[in-house]
Amino acid sequence: MDGETPQRLRIELLGPVRARRGTTPLALGPVRRQAVLAAMALRPGSTVSHEDLLDAVWGSALPGSGHRVLPSYVYALRKALDPEGTGYEESVIRSSQGRYGMASDGITVDVAELAERVLEARRVRESGDLVTTMARLTDALALFRGEPLAGLPGPFAQAERRRLSQRRRTLRSERLECLLLLGRGAEALEGLAALSAAEPYDESLLALHMRALYANQRQAEALTVYQGMRERLREELGVSPGEALGRVYEAVLRRDDVLLLGPSAARPAALPAAAPTALPGPPRPRTPVSELPGVTGVLIGRERERALLSAAFPPDSVGVAAVDGIAGVGKSALVVRAAQDSRDHYPDGCLFVDLGAHSPGRQRLSPQRVLRRLLRTIGTADSEVPADLDELTAAWRAATGSLRLLLVLDDALASAQIRPLLPAGPGSTVIVTSRRRLAGLDADRRITLEPLEPDDAQALLGHLVGEERAARERPATRELARLCGGLPLALRIAGTRLQTRPVWTFAHLVDRMADDDRRLGELRAGDRSVEAAFRLSYDQLTPAQQEGFRVLGLTPTSEFDALTPAAMLGRPAREAEQILEGLVDTSLVQQPHPGRYRLHDLVRAHARRLAQASPAEAGAARTAVLRLYVDAGRSSSDWGAGGFPTGAAATGAFADWSDASDWLNAADAELADVVGHAAGLGEADLACWIAEALTDHFVRRGRYHEGRTALETALPQADRAGDRRMVPALRNCMGVIGIYLGEPAAARSTFAEALRLSRQHADRREEARALAGIGTAELNLGRPERAVAPVTEAVELARRLEDEWLVAMALCVLGTAYRALGRTADALCCLDEAAVRAEANGRPTMISRTLSCAAEVHLGLGRFTEAKDLLRRAAQLVERAGDIPLTAITLSMLGTAELGEGNTEAALALHQEALARLQSLSPLNEPHQTRMEMEIRGRLGRAYSAVGRVREAGQQFRTVLAFPCAGAYPAERAFALAGLEECETS
């Protein structure tokens, strides 16, 4: 922090993204928001268009909200980065005409600092001062805190990560060359060993490595690594080494010290031969032993993991790397290839043991058997191999104390199996693979191997079947890779089936695998089977874990938390979580986020097949989890406990409405699928109850299309359901969705049908809902006078039913109709009673709605203080409820009240926040977004006018008028025209 002012902003990208102002760290939020910041921070002083930012952060997978997502991200970043009280024009993030950019003054970015330090280092290098050059390069490298832009998504971050990582490697190489030229060849060699292993095709790096070997009296080894590079290039890339590397090779052959070590570097004198010791040391193999399996097949898409495993460990200890992952993910292939990459660094041998934890028909190897074999391999006579495990362990450690070995232990079962096998020689390395996460093993590096990314999975299929054949059926190749879930074993079996059946097309195999029940059966070739591999893992589970695994195959969503299996198993959530964490440790369950779990698609199919073998258990689990969704929807609904008079009893899984709402939010886009899941199982009542219960949740989250999809799925089930209330109830719900989708005429017809059916079934509650819905539709059609009669009747019915939410809702509609008719006293009377009824119901959205409606009447009467008091409470409540559209409108109304009282800065801030909240919604989901944005921008323009910021005011009014459909909203358009006229005449 030397030289920085206490309030200077510093942004650091050379590692996980972080920012601080002075010494205070700043919270930057989710990784996508950080990616937006990085895309601007790496272009200081220039602006970036919305399109470029979207491409940079999302690539081709654009968010549903399109351009509208960026303002909400920028708003949050400004709040995080700007000092409190910073005005819009003074923000570190500048915006104009659809572009965003980071200010260049008052900000330090570590990438720019890196460039300055590197420039200074190279300037010093030109002067010939190697010592200072090395110090400057060390300073530059110290800015890196790990992988640059770690964890950031998007093509821009990926490209910059590669560029900055390459720059880091280049700087490391330059620093190591300085060490070499300064006569410190041993230090240079130690660093180059790891760097070269991570970049096996970098000829400049290999040339430096050869020079370091030469400096350390290892001329033969330098020539060997050159031959290895030449063979790799010829076999894998079909090319020969370049001229620069060839010159270094020739210099090593000629022993050209000047070219290799620099004009002023002297080669160290050869070390004298060590005097023979009086006693024989530990046995050493006469020649280095290599038991590594041969490399078969191609390894695709594992560059990062391969480099991590091949990189050297500290030379003064035994390095341990643990690789875990699901069956068939390619753990053995990866570690064998990585071991082959680094075998030259282990002069005493490379050993391989298949521990056989999941090998069918083979007995597991005990530590005693493995130790006996290992001791014999390194030259211990049979007569000197003890029998006892403790003695074997001691003998192994004594024998390996002076050796540098690479030991690969494949397919381990538990940590206890591994610990006795660890060698003692400093500089040795052990690589362990297991389907389990060996938490009891002290590992320096851990890799959980994930399935291949889609592009890599398709590349593997193309390699197996032929690029030309795959290219002819690119969509089917992509789909086959998806059906295999990126699992290398599944991909190789699928590739084998296509190899052995040349008349089959990719599309034909895709058709055969499209049915989930048949998919695992198709993934079988010879003695290889995906399902058999999974079954071996399942057989080693405890009975409780086996039951938990089976029911997870029946979950209606792909992702879930501990509450889902808890309901299905009838166990407390804590016990279910322990089962889940145990399954995570066996690699049968994935954990994409803390507290969230999922199954690989093929593992899920296997679990479902196991569950179907126990129909009674499966039926009880399915019913329990569907009832959980009914309970969650009803518990979170603003309708309250009285809003669902029929159906399943509460499960008691949720503490309150917010707990249930949070649980549903975590399920996100899969909720509508739950209804289809229930319908597909023939659970008509549960499908209807879930669709009805989720309606309010979808409305509050602005996800109207998903709500309609769920209801359209459930409606055909209503006639088959035992609960006859569902027939009119689901139509009432459809009418509600229609209102929010801006289709009042269609909604009125739906409510009218619900009214007819409710009267036919003598269902007074649904009758009252239908009447209130008809009145709401009339109000939205601009006919408040026709809304009064049906809504008045709905109010009286709801009072007799003592349904507080229904009374409050109907009174809100009636009060709004009275306000539109100019009957403000009647409007306030209705809204006062609505507030009392909403308070009795206790749900936040209805309370805030009644307060907002009353505040709107007070605003119209110029009673700003009364309006502000109501709106402040309404804003707090609606924020808790998570209703984004209502939050935006409430904040903007509060801004109007603040402006009415002369609090212009507060008014501007509220309108801007309201606009950011609204723009976080997708316009595809929120059909009223344009009208609401026109209204908020109009109010924001008025606030700008009030403080004399005429240019900004005019910009807001022009934006309102520029909307393609502005003419469809005459009130908002007229408001903007009047405001613009005032700006132009002032």
Side-chain angles (χ1 to χ4, degrees):
M1 296 302 296
D2 295 343
E4 293 190 12
T5 61
Q7 289 301 310
R8 188 175 182 84
L9 175 64
R10 180 175 177 82
I11 298 173
E12 298 179 348
L13 308 174
L14 298 173
V17 176
R18 65 188 188 188
R20 63 178 186 265
R21 187 167 288 282
T23 58
T24 304
L26 307 177
L28 298 177
V31 290
R32 284 235 190 254
R33 192 186 301 163
Q34 295 176 29
V36 172
L37 172 63
M40 295 186 290
L42 285 167
R43 301 158 167 147
S46 62
T47 58
V48 190
S49 70
H50 282 199
E51 289 78 8
D52 287 346
L53 271 178
L54 287 168
D55 287 344
V57 178
W58 281 272
S60 59
L62 289 177
S65 49
H67 287 195
R68 299 177 186 275
V69 73
L70 285 175
S72 65
Y73 279 32
V74 171
Y75 172 79
L77 286 171
R78 282 174 172 150
K79 287 193 70 174
L81 299 175
D82 292 337
E84 190 173 349
T86 300
Y88 176 79
E89 296 296 329
E90 291 76 35
S91 173
V92 297
I93 299 178
R94 309 292 165 82
S95 60
S96 65
Q97 298 179 343
R99 303 178 72 85
Y100 289 116
M102 185 71 64
S104 57
D105 54 324
I107 303 175
T108 301
V109 181
D110 61 353
V111 175
E113 189 176 342
L114 175 69
E116 293 172 3
R117 292 188 184 185
V118 171
L119 188 64
E120 173 63 14
R122 288 174 180 166
R123 185 188 64 77
V124 174
R125 175 71 184 266
E126 289 175 3
S127 71
D129 185 350
L130 290 174
V131 174
T132 306
T133 299
M134 192 174 72
R136 295 288 183 270
L137 291 170
T138 301
D139 290 343
L141 285 164
L143 291 171
F144 287 91
R145 297 173 289 104
E147 183 182 48
L149 305 172
L152 292 199
F156 178 81
Q158 185 178 6
E160 287 297 304
R161 190 157 42 241
R162 283 197 298 266
R163 181 181 70 83
L164 292 169
S165 296
Q166 180 58 48
R167 187 162 211 188
R168 185 185 194 182
R169 288 191 291 271
T170 301
L171 294 176
R172 284 175 169 171
S173 176
E174 291 178 11
R175 180 183 175 279
L176 292 169
E177 185 177 24
C178 287
L179 279 172
L180 180 65
L181 295 174
L182 287 167
R184 295 160 64 180
E187 295 175 59
L189 184 60
E190 184 179 323
L192 280 162
L195 207 56
S196 298
E199 294 292 324
Y201 298 105
D202 190 326
E203 294 188 29
S204 64
L205 203 56
L206 185 75
L208 188 58
H209 192 189
M210 290 172 64
R211 291 167 61 190
L213 287 168
Y214 180 81
N216 283 273
Q217 307 293 323
R218 293 162 68 176
Q219 181 191 24
E221 194 172 339
L223 297 173
T224 299
V225 297
Y226 173 83
Q227 296 293 346
M229 169 66 91
R230 185 166 67 177
E231 290 173 11
R232 278 200 304 274
L233 292 175
R234 184 176 64 248
E235 292 175 5
E236 299 183 22
L237 302 180
V239 297
S240 299
E243 292 182 9
L245 185 59
R247 283 196 297 271
V248 172
Y249 174 68
E250 294 292 337
V252 173
L253 286 173
R254 296 194 313 269
R255 297 180 178 269
D256 188 338
D257 290 359
V258 174
L259 191 150
L260 295 171
L261 306 177
S264 60
R267 291 184 60 188
L271 296 174
T277 55
L279 296 174
R284 299 176 65 93
R286 294 181 180 86
T287 57
V289 178
S290 180
E291 295 185 327
L292 296 176
V295 175
T296 59
V298 65
L299 188 69
I300 291 177
R302 302 301 194 192
E303 290 81 6
R304 185 188 68 82
E305 295 88 351
R306 183 173 170 181
L308 189 61
L309 289 174
S310 303
F313 287 90
D316 57 349
S317 64
V318 176
V320 179
V323 181
D324 62 75
I326 186 176
V329 80
K331 301 180 291 295
S332 300
L334 168 67
V335 299
V336 168
R337 187 64 63 99
Q340 293 281 9
D341 290 342
S342 54
R343 62 184 175 183
D344 292 342
H345 304 301
Y346 301 95
D348 298 310
C350 301
L351 312 180
F352 180 91
V353 182
D354 181 358
L355 296 173
H358 300 90
S359 297
R362 273 189 53 191
Q363 186 178 7
R364 276 184 220 135
L365 295 179
S366 66
Q368 291 96 318
R369 289 184 61 190
V370 176
L371 284 170
R372 290 189 197 102
R373 173 182 154 186
L374 289 172
L375 283 166
R376 294 187 186 103
T377 300
I378 64 169
T380 304
D382 286 351
S383 59
E384 298 177 11
V385 176
D388 178 75
L389 176 59
D390 289 340
E391 292 177 357
L392 279 166
T393 304
W396 170 244
R397 289 173 181 166
T400 57
S402 62
L403 304 182
R404 284 177 60 195
L405 296 169
L406 172 61
L407 174 60
V408 178
L409 300 171
D410 192 31
D411 197 16
L413 182 64
S415 302
Q417 188 183 17
I418 301 302
R419 284 191 289 266
L421 310 181
L422 300 179
S428 292
T429 295
V430 179
I431 304 177
V432 185
T433 75
S434 176
R435 296 187 189 182
R436 297 175 178 267
R437 295 183 178 177
L438 303 175
L441 182 67
D442 289 331
D444 303 281
R445 296 173 190 160
R446 290 186 185 275
I447 296 173
T448 294
L449 203 58
E450 301 290 348
L452 294 175
E453 294 295 326
D455 288 347
D456 291 330
Q458 292 173 61
L460 179 54
L461 284 172
H463 170 80
L464 294 170
V465 183
E467 292 295 342
E468 183 178 349
R469 188 174 171 190
R472 286 199 302 268
E473 295 186 80
R474 187 61 64 195
T477 305
R478 185 163 49 248
E479 179 62 11
L480 182 58
R482 187 192 69 79
L483 290 172
C484 290
L487 199 66
L489 175 60
L491 292 162
R492 288 187 177 279
I493 291 175
T496 298
R497 302 204 72 191
L498 290 171
Q499 286 173 341
T500 56
R501 290 164 175 80
V503 297
W504 280 19
T505 62
F506 278 83
H508 176 72
L509 184 53
V510 165
D511 287 341
R512 294 175 67 94
M513 292 177 58
D515 185 277
D516 283 351
D517 292 331
R518 289 185 56 190
R519 189 177 309 172
L520 288 174
E522 292 294 327
L523 291 174
R524 183 187 307 274
D527 61 351
R528 292 194 299 175
S529 164
V530 171
E531 187 165 26
F534 294 159
R535 184 69 195 223
L536 287 167
S537 294
Y538 172 80
D539 288 342
Q540 293 178 356
L541 302 177
T542 66
Q545 288 174 333
Q546 287 183 340
E547 183 187 9
F549 179 70
R550 289 194 300 270
V551 302
L552 291 179
L554 306 173
T555 56
T557 58
S558 63
E559 195 174 293
F560 44 85
D561 67 354
L563 201 56
T564 299
M568 301 174 83
L569 294 168
R571 294 174 181 261
R574 185 172 294 277
E575 287 185 25
E577 184 179 30
Q578 290 174 347
I579 291 173
L580 282 170
E581 289 295 329
L583 292 171
V584 169
D585 286 339
T586 65
S587 298
L588 284 170
V589 170
Q590 300 167 323
Q591 192 169 31
H593 311 289
R596 301 293 296 174
Y597 305 88
R598 65 176 297 128
L599 299 180
H600 184 278
D601 287 349
L602 294 176
V603 175
R604 182 184 179 88
H606 177 56
R608 187 164 51 246
R609 290 176 70 154
L610 291 171
Q612 288 166 350
S614 304
E617 177 186 89
R622 282 174 169 141
T623 300
V625 73
L626 293 174
R627 285 188 59 190
L628 185 66
Y629 280 91
V630 176
D631 191 17
R634 291 182 172 187
S635 297
S636 71
S637 174
D638 209 54
W639 300 357
F644 303 94
T646 61
T651 64
F654 304 101
D656 53 26
W657 68 267
S658 61
D659 188 25
S661 185
D662 290 343
W663 189 79
L664 291 173
N665 287 338
D668 197 37
E670 293 189 273
L671 283 176
D673 296 335
V674 178
V675 179
H677 183 81
L681 294 172
E683 296 283 0
D685 285 278
L686 284 164
C688 295
W689 293 335
I690 294 170
E692 180 196 35
L694 292 177
T695 297
D696 185 62
H697 175 80
F698 285 130
V699 165
R700 281 187 285 110
R701 304 299 296 173
R703 291 159 56 184
Y704 312 126
H705 290 287
E706 290 175 65
R708 173 173 280 178
T709 298
L711 289 166
E712 287 174 343
T713 303
L715 266 172
Q717 306 296 317
D719 291 332
R720 295 191 285 273
D723 185 355
R724 304 312 299 158
R725 185 178 67 85
M726 291 296 100
V727 175
L730 294 187
R731 285 168 175 80
N732 274 328
C733 291
M734 284 290 283
V736 170
I737 296 293
I739 291 292
Y740 280 95
L741 280 170
E743 303 167 358
R748 194 196 185 290
S749 298
T750 304
F751 283 126
E753 176 66 7
L755 180 63
R756 183 186 68 78
L757 291 168
S758 61
R759 286 174 173 167
Q760 179 181 320
H761 290 89
D763 190 325
R764 305 297 279 173
R765 179 175 271 98
E766 296 307 322
E767 180 182 354
R769 285 180 182 271
L771 286 165
I774 289 171
T776 304
E778 293 289 1
L779 191 59
N780 279 267
L781 285 165
R783 303 189 297 230
E785 70 285 352
R786 296 176 61 172
V788 172
V791 179
T792 301
E793 188 177 351
V795 169
E796 294 308 316
L797 268 175
R799 282 174 176 156
R800 289 200 293 274
L801 293 166
E802 298 182 353
D803 187 330
E804 301 293 1
W805 181 87
L806 191 51
V807 174
M809 185 271 289
L811 284 170
C812 260
V813 177
L814 187 58
T816 304
Y818 282 147
R819 182 179 65 83
L821 293 169
R823 296 166 57 178
T824 54
D826 290 335
L828 287 173
C829 182
C830 286
L831 294 168
D832 286 344
E833 183 186 350
V836 173
R837 298 283 187 162
E839 292 281 3
N841 183 53
R843 297 304 172 94
T845 301
M846 183 50 70
I847 298 172
S848 62
R849 194 177 294 278
T850 60
L851 296 174
S852 296
C853 288
E856 195 164 10
V857 178
H858 287 297
L859 284 176
L861 296 171
R863 301 172 183 169
F864 300 115
T865 301
E866 292 90 334
K868 188 167 73 170
D869 291 341
L870 293 170
L871 288 166
R872 278 178 174 168
R873 183 160 180 247
Q876 293 172 350
L877 289 166
V878 79
E879 180 82 25
R880 285 175 55 207
D883 190 323
I884 298 173
L886 190 55
T887 299
I889 289 299
T890 303
L891 289 172
S892 186
M893 289 171 63
L894 183 55
T896 299
E898 292 284 8
L899 184 64
E901 288 206 323
N903 303 321
T904 53
E905 290 302 321
L908 285 171
L910 286 163
H911 289 313
Q912 287 165 349
E913 185 173 355
L915 198 57
R917 297 293 183 91
L918 187 66
Q919 289 175 331
S920 70
L921 293 174
S922 165
L924 297 176
N925 288 336
E926 180 49 73
H928 301 289
Q929 185 169 9
T930 297
R931 182 192 60 76
M932 288 191 287
E933 184 171 345
M934 289 172 67
E935 180 181 338
I936 293 171
R937 286 190 182 277
R939 289 175 173 168
L940 178 58
R942 289 290 184 180
Y944 277 133
S945 292
V947 295
R949 293 165 65 174
V950 178
R951 184 177 62 82
E952 290 98 325
Q955 184 178 4
Q956 294 300 324
F957 294 134
R958 290 188 187 93
T959 301
V960 171
L961 297 172
F963 277 103
C965 53
Y969 307 105
E972 287 76 12
R973 185 173 183 277
F975 189 83
L977 281 169
L980 184 59
E981 186 176 348
E982 289 179 16
C983 290
E984 291 174 346
T985 57
S986 61

